[in-house]
Structure formats: C-alpha cells, structure tokens
Amino acid sequence: MGYQDTIGREAGKMLEYVETGTTDSAETTLEVPATAYTDPAYFEREKAEIFMKLPLLAALSAEIPNPGDYKAMELLGKPLLITRKPDGTVAAMLNVCTHRGMILKPEGHGNARRFSCPYHAWTFGNDGKLLGVADPQKFGPICKEERNLTALPVAEAGGIIWVCLTPGREFDIRKHLGGMLDDLEFYGLDKWHYCGTRRIYGPNWKIAYDGYLEGYHFAAAHPTTIHPRSFSNIMHFTAFGPHMRVGYPQTRIKEALGALPPDKWGEHENDGYDFVRTIFPNVSIFFAPEITQVAQLIPGDTPDSNVTNLMFIRRDPPRDAEDAAAIEGMMDWLRDVVNEEDYGVGLQVQKGLASGALQSVIFGRNERGNHYFHNYVDYLLRADPDEEPPVL
C-alpha cells in the first residue's frame, strides 16, 4: 500500500466517525498525577531522560539552505550553532568560544565562512575547528585540536536538522523517526522556503503538547477560529514509535470525499480533513494550503513554563510585496490563535494544577492520543531496558 493509499484509508475512518457520531477511542480513561505538571524533581528527570537523550529539532533545512548559512539559538539552556558546511552537510556545536566561554554569535541567522569571538578574536571555521588564536606568540603554546568548538551529534532528515544535546551520544535518525519520516519526505520540506518565526510563552511543556493531541476542545476553546472548519471531538490516531499522525475531519468532509472515488481520498489532505503530525517529544507540524506551521516546544527553566517557536515554511517564496505581506499576516494570525486561545487556556490550567485542587487529571477514552503520549513519557522515565515500549 502506497503512502497516499494509507492517508486515504485514514480519511475514510474519519468519514466513518462523522457518519456514526463516534471517534477513535481508548479502552478506558487514564489518570495522570497533577504533580507530573508541577513537580520540579519530576521535571528535571524529564529533561535528563528525554530531552538530553533524544534527537531534537534544532532547525529546518530551509532556514540554512546554502553553504555558509548558520543558525544560532538556545535549546534547553544550551547555546547552539547550526551550520551548513561547504560540502552541503550540516554541523552542530555549542556556540561557546573554547578560550574563555564567550558566546560566539547572537541568536539569529546569517552566512559566514568563519566565526570570530567578539571577546578576544579567536577564530573558528564553520565546521567548529579552531583556525587561529589572536596574537599567538604572546598567548603561548596551544593544541588547536583540543580547543575546537564542542561538537554535538547531528543529522539531517525529512527537511529537518536534528541534534542531541549530549556530546558523543550518537543516534540513528531514520530509526528514531520510523514511519513518520515517510510523511516528511513526501512533502520534500528541504526544498521549501522559510518564511519566519514567531515566539510565544506558555505553561508546562506537556500541558502545551496535550493540546495538539486532541480536538475535544475545539468547540469551547476555538469557537470562531478552528471549530467552523473542523469537528470538535472527532479524531483519528496513527502512531510511529512515540510519534503520531492525528487526523481531524473538516465539517465539509462528506461533501469533499463524497465527490471523489475512495482511491483518490488520500490526495486531498486539507480538502475534507487535516492532520497534525507530532514528533516526540516536542514538535507539532500542521500542513495547511496557505502555509505550514512547525511548533517547537522547549521546556522552560521551571516546570510551569515553556518557550514555543512557531516556525513557518511554504513551498514557494513570496511572489511580490503583496504576497509577502499576506504571509506576515498569516504568521501573526496563527501565532495569535495558539497564544491567545491554546496557551491562554494552558496557563490557566497550570494555575489550577499549582493550586493543589486536583490529585490527578483525567483523560477520556476519546483523548486516546494523550494516553499514548503520557504512557510514553512514563516509559522513558522508567528507563527499564527490558520493558517494551507502549503501543497505540
């Protein structure tokens, strides 16, 4: 069965749910301790066992498409420098001069063959190698190889640049992504145009992530934005390891799919149905006809906060000034929806849980994706090599 055949089959399931008034469901409900969202010790374990060990999205390939391009950013308190080397491959390193610890480049994008430290002018190649020490005769002897920038494991796949924040901890990105890589490669994101990023601040990373995994809240939280387009509380879930493709039928799914033979349903994403693709532990991707939003959720310094970068790409660059202005407007609108509606609710949830009012939160049978996500978090925190991972 081909990729679009699979998508068509999932579209058919969504149509079935709409026609029968049902949804993809778990066998029972699930309770999660409220402290999973508030406890500092639990939060530190999550960062150590999940975020410091798994491959994380550091950049979109479209952000640094050309040799010499770089992106400087911070990820979980780690200053990163992601570069496109002359041969087209990528490098990732800590954005920290190995002389006295100065940050080499401020956050942002650029193009440079080499990086000169703004403190004492030590110079590094865009592969992280130390090229020169300022006034070396006076400085004294040094082994340059021992003072290269600290390299991080890195891979590029599916139009995304992935890093591990633990030096020396190599990973197999194709194995990690599994079937989700088929989705990314189908879209060919490495050839798309990077439009820009919007940054918002929200609650605990799991509260934020929970919202991407269910449409139960559409009617109440998005009455004028998402709900007119999509049914509330009708979802379909497909898992690839810890990652998920979550299907949301549009209110016009009967009209859209009814006009097509079933073998064509898989060619009509965004025309009758949509998907949110989540890549564990902290990425959500929504492909829309106008623009694609890639949400990167980064745990904050404390359990009650996260920083979310909403990165936007589309197939083609702006056609003209009017088109560029429309893109900016679309990015602002999507930011506002997430910030004011999703994160507005999430911050109130965080406040409620911090009050001690609840011993646990409960996820319904209809919130099957949330079950799977929390079961996977618990599985990774147990770190039992003999335990089989959860299944959806």
Side-chain angles (χ1 to χ4, degrees), residues 10 17 24-27 213 235-247 278 365-376 389-392:
E10 293 176 20
Y17 297 145
D24 199 349
S25 298
E27 293 183 359
L213 298 174
M235 298 81 73
H236 181 74
F237 304 97
T238 302
F240 309 96
H243 322 298
M244 279 183 277
R245 184 167 60 226
V246 186
T278 62
R365 294 178 58 242
N366 56 323
E367 298 174 293
R368 189 182 182 199
N370 302 86
H371 289 227
Y372 190 62
F373 167 60
H374 286 277
N375 286 336
Y376 229 105
V391 295
L392 185 65

Side-chain angles (χ1 to χ4, degrees), residues 32 240 290 311 337 389:
V32 173
F240 309 96
E290 306 87 357
M311 297 174 281
V337 169

